[in-house]
Amino acid sequence: MPVSDETFALVAPATMPQKPCQTDFQLVRVKNTWFRIKKGEALSDCKDEITLSEAKIQVRGIFTSTGHGQQLYVSVAKAELQEIEQDFSRPKGNLLDFSQFGESVSEGGISWTIEAPIYFCYKVVETYNILDPSNTTLLWGHITDPQQLELATSGKRKLRRFIVIDEVVDELYGSKVREYFEENNVQHKILALPTTEETKSMDLVLNILQEVQSFSIDRRTEPIIAIGGGVCLDIVGLAASLYRRRTPYIRIPTTLLSYVDASVGAKNGVNFLQCKNKLGGYTPPVASFLDRSFIQSIPRRHISNGLGEILKMALMKHKGLFDLLKSHGKYLLDTKFQSYSGSADHGDAALQTTRIAIETMLEELAPNLWEDDLDRLVDFGHLISPELEMRVLPSLMHGEAVNIDMAFMTYVAYARGLITAEEKEQIIQCMRGLELPVWHRGCSWALIKRALMERLKHSGGQTRMPLPTGLGVAEIFNDTNEETLERAYKLWVRDCRTVLEEEPAAF
């Protein structure tokens, strides 16, 4: 059946009763034009190369006569015109079968339901010494198609890159970044910015976009590069997703937290009205390049901060990862996640820990990048922590706030009888071994109730509370009552508040 070369058939409607009808169409491309065909219909007579899209259009309407002799134009292929005319001349009861042509006429109009899957392909790549000029990962590592790679590497056009770097990272590595692009003859612009929770705002996004516009990048071939911690990666991701509606970008995490968390998913965003990540979207990078050598330059507290997110995945999904953290936590802190050949007693604990954390994270994120399903194990530690973190800025880092949330929820799981007292103690002792806080005076009972009310608002009226049901296994619950929560809170405060801490304030 030829699907190009169309004409219009003139049809006079007959008097018909109202009747709903629905037709499902698929979309095919012949040469450079997209056409819709009925779902399952063959294109056996088409000699041109065709492309079938996963997108679908569903047409619904109620057929009814206007009673005023109005005419309907139906777009069809010439080869079917005779068959269509015959079909219209055969009433089916009192109803003409308009549905096969995908046009629905009704007193209230018709409706189109579009199912258009959004396809993303992005790479998460382990590398080492990414700033060594001989390492070309930063130049070409984001390209997945071999033909595009050949075209890019053989092109005579000078490479150009726009780089946003956290100002602290710039002090440590800025000279190496500049040397890298100079050695590879890349025209570049480096924008160093203060990327902290306090500056994570639309103002900073607009600042970046003004500089991007001035540099005038090609949004197809010149990805924006973000080098820094999670805040930097979030801000740049949002800026790139806004510039000309979507410009590719590359993430290079420089902290442990961003290495195992922010760099591997699709989310980006900024804080708004004192609420964490209130503005944002879901646009993954074209690639994340993971180089653990950056982690050796961050303070010990930042290592512990990243361990909070790793522990989250261990408690939810992987007892082996939990055992690694229990056995090698201090070693990982001491060595700052670097791999050393003379560490036989520990194996390559850093490599094992980061790989398992990333793989378990991707298992949860990849099928649900846009969070269509709100039941997410990766939300463990993120029910109360957003409210707590923003309330006490800058006294808690993100992973620390997450761990305080997880510590409280461990007591909730215990109060519900989901874990034993021994399992609860193992979890709390592991947290302390990783030098993570297990309580904070700002996490009052009033704040917990307020945070859970916010959770209800934004999670379809359910708490969707991930809780451990053992070590490395978990489920999501919607039936934890206030009495259980309050009992867990009292036990948690009794066991975890240190004598040096003040009584929690009620706000």
Side-chain angles (χ1 to χ4, degrees), residues 151-163:
L151 185 65
T153 54
S154 62
K156 296 180 180 179
R157 183 180 175 185
K158 187 171 183 177
L159 284 180
R160 303 171 74 253
R161 291 293 184 269
F162 185 91
I163 306 102

Side-chain angles (χ1 to χ4, degrees), residues 231-243:
V231 173
C232 179
L233 305 188
D234 276 356
I235 293 171
V236 175
L238 182 56
S241 70
L242 293 174
Y243 188 70

Side-chain angles (χ1 to χ4, degrees), residues 194-248:
T195 56
T196 64
E197 285 294 339
E198 293 90 334
T199 63
K200 191 178 183 184
S201 66
M202 281 302 298
D203 288 340
L204 206 54
V205 169
L206 295 174
N207 185 356
I208 292 169
L209 293 176
Q210 287 175 348
E211 296 290 342
V212 168
Q213 175 69 11
S214 176
F215 187 68
S216 188
I217 64 171
D218 182 331
R219 72 184 180 107
R220 297 293 183 189
T221 62
E222 297 171 0
I224 299 170
I225 298 172
I227 306 176
V231 173
C232 179
L233 305 188
D234 276 356
I235 293 171
V236 175
L238 182 56
S241 70
L242 293 174
Y243 188 70
R244 302 197 66 183
R245 296 184 175 85
R246 181 165 67 90
T247 295

Side-chain angles (χ1 to χ4, degrees), residues 108-321:
I110 66 173
S111 69
W112 294 267
T113 301
I114 294 87
E115 181 183 328
I118 301 174
Y119 174 79
F120 277 108
C121 176
Y122 67 101
K123 300 170 72 174
V124 180
V125 181
E126 280 184 350
T127 186
Y128 197 74
N129 286 334
I130 194 170
L131 296 180
D132 183 331
S134 64
N135 184 343
T136 60
T137 301
L138 196 46
L139 302 179
W140 318 114
H142 63 286
I143 302 175
T144 56
D145 183 87
Q147 290 183 331
Q148 288 184 1
L149 179 61
E150 183 180 355
L151 185 65
T153 54
S154 62
K156 296 180 180 179
R157 183 180 175 185
K158 187 171 183 177
L159 284 180
R160 303 171 74 253
R161 291 293 184 269
F162 185 91
I163 306 102
V164 180
I165 187 169
D166 175 82
E167 63 180 12
V168 176
V169 179
D170 187 48
E171 291 176 10
L172 295 168
Y173 297 100
S175 60
K176 292 190 72 173
V177 173
R178 289 165 178 82
E179 181 183 351
Y180 179 90
F181 289 111
E182 287 164 4
E183 288 286 323
N184 284 288
N185 194 31
V186 178
Q187 181 184 348
H188 59 279
K189 162 74 175 177
I190 296 178
L191 181 62
L193 294 172
T195 56
T196 64
E197 285 294 339
E198 293 90 334
T199 63
K200 191 178 183 184
S201 66
M202 281 302 298
D203 288 340
L204 206 54
V205 169
L206 295 174
N207 185 356
I208 292 169
L209 293 176
Q210 287 175 348
E211 296 290 342
V212 168
Q213 175 69 11
S214 176
F215 187 68
S216 188
I217 64 171
D218 182 331
R219 72 184 180 107
R220 297 293 183 189
T221 62
E222 297 171 0
I224 299 170
I225 298 172
I227 306 176
V231 173
C232 179
L233 305 188
D234 276 356
I235 293 171
V236 175
L238 182 56
S241 70
L242 293 174
Y243 188 70
R244 302 197 66 183
R245 296 184 175 85
R246 181 165 67 90
T247 295
Y249 69 102
I250 290 169
R251 289 171 171 164
I252 303 175
T254 58
T255 64
L256 178 61
L257 181 67
S258 58
Y259 188 101
V260 298
D261 184 33
S263 67
V264 300
K267 291 197 291 189
N268 54 61
V270 295
N271 303 331
F272 180 66
L273 298 178
Q274 288 77 54
C275 296
K276 188 171 177 66
N277 293 328
K278 205 69 169 180
L279 303 179
Y282 301 91
T283 306
V286 287
S288 289
F289 299 137
L290 310 180
D291 184 346
R292 271 187 295 127
S293 65
F294 285 115
I295 299 172
Q296 65 189 313
S297 61
I298 65 176
R300 186 181 181 94
R301 183 183 174 189
H302 287 248
I303 305 290
S304 182
N305 183 53
L307 283 164
E309 287 284 359
I310 295 175
L311 180 60
K312 173 187 77 176
M313 301 313 300
L315 292 174
M316 292 291 97
K317 287 187 57 110
H318 205 291
K319 186 176 185 298
L321 180 56

Side-chain angles (χ1 to χ4, degrees), residues 69-122:
Q70 293 177 339
Q71 296 174 321
L72 169 69
Y73 287 87
V74 183
S75 176
V76 297
K78 276 183 179 178
E80 290 192 327
L81 183 55
Q82 185 175 359
E83 178 186 344
I84 289 167
E85 289 171 340
Q86 291 171 354
D87 196 58
F88 273 114
S89 69
R90 294 193 299 268
K92 301 181 179 180
N94 290 322
L95 176 69
L96 295 182
D97 186 11
F98 285 48
S99 64
Q100 64 177 306
F101 311 118
E103 304 292 336
S104 303
V105 183
S106 75
E107 291 176 337
I110 66 173
S111 69
W112 294 267
T113 301
I114 294 87
E115 181 183 328
I118 301 174
Y119 174 79
F120 277 108
C121 176
Y122 67 101

